[in-house]
């Protein structure tokens, strides 16, 4: 993926729901925090035993690497990737 911001203002719908085997690869060398950040910024209510500020829903065999990941409002206090019941790779990211 190109460096830049991925948010609702740029057409993203949250949570971003991955497909099995899908790979989202950004700026792994800088964990998404390079001179031009590679930022996924968004949230959606998702019930996983509790209400959370979910940015991404994982999928079997998927990978998310090289992003800064943040909520919009900060009211939840964290941004997350839900990986309930799937095996996937999450590496070289910065959670804001």
């Amino acid at each position: 993926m190109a460096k830049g911001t991925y948010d609702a203002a740029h057409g993203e719908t949250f949570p971003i729901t991955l497909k099995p085997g899908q790979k989202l690869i950004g700026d792994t060398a800088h964990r998404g925090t390079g001179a031009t950040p590679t930022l996924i910024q968004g949230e959606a209510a998702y019930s996983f035993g509790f209400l959370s500020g979910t940015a991404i829903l994982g999928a079997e065999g998927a990978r998310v690497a090289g992003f800064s990941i943040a909520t919009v409002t900060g009211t939840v206090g964290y941004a997350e990737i839900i990986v309930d019941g799937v095996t996937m790779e999450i590496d070289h990211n910065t959670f804001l």
Side-chain angles (χ1 to χ4, degrees):
M1 295 182 77
K3 294 178 182 178
T5 299
Y6 296 87
D7 60 10
H10 292 96
E12 297 297 333
T13 301
F14 290 91
I16 294 171
T17 303
L18 300 178
K19 294 179 178 136
Q22 185 175 11
K23 312 281 189 234
L24 297 183
I25 310 297
D27 180 12
T28 57
H30 299 102
R31 299 180 181 264
T33 62
T36 300
T38 308
L39 172 66
I40 295 174
Q41 185 171 29
E43 60 194 34
Y46 180 78
S47 181
F48 180 67
F50 55 90
L51 199 58
S52 66
T54 302
I56 301 170
L57 290 176
E60 188 64 36
R63 181 178 180 208
V64 177
F67 294 92
S68 288
I69 301 172
T71 61
V72 175
T73 63
T75 57
V76 176
Y78 51 86
E80 61 186 38
I81 299 173
I82 298 287
V83 293
D84 184 32
V86 301
T87 301
M88 64 177 282
E89 296 178 63
I90 302 169
D91 59 278
H92 295 86
N93 297 294
T94 302
F95 289 85
L96 306 171

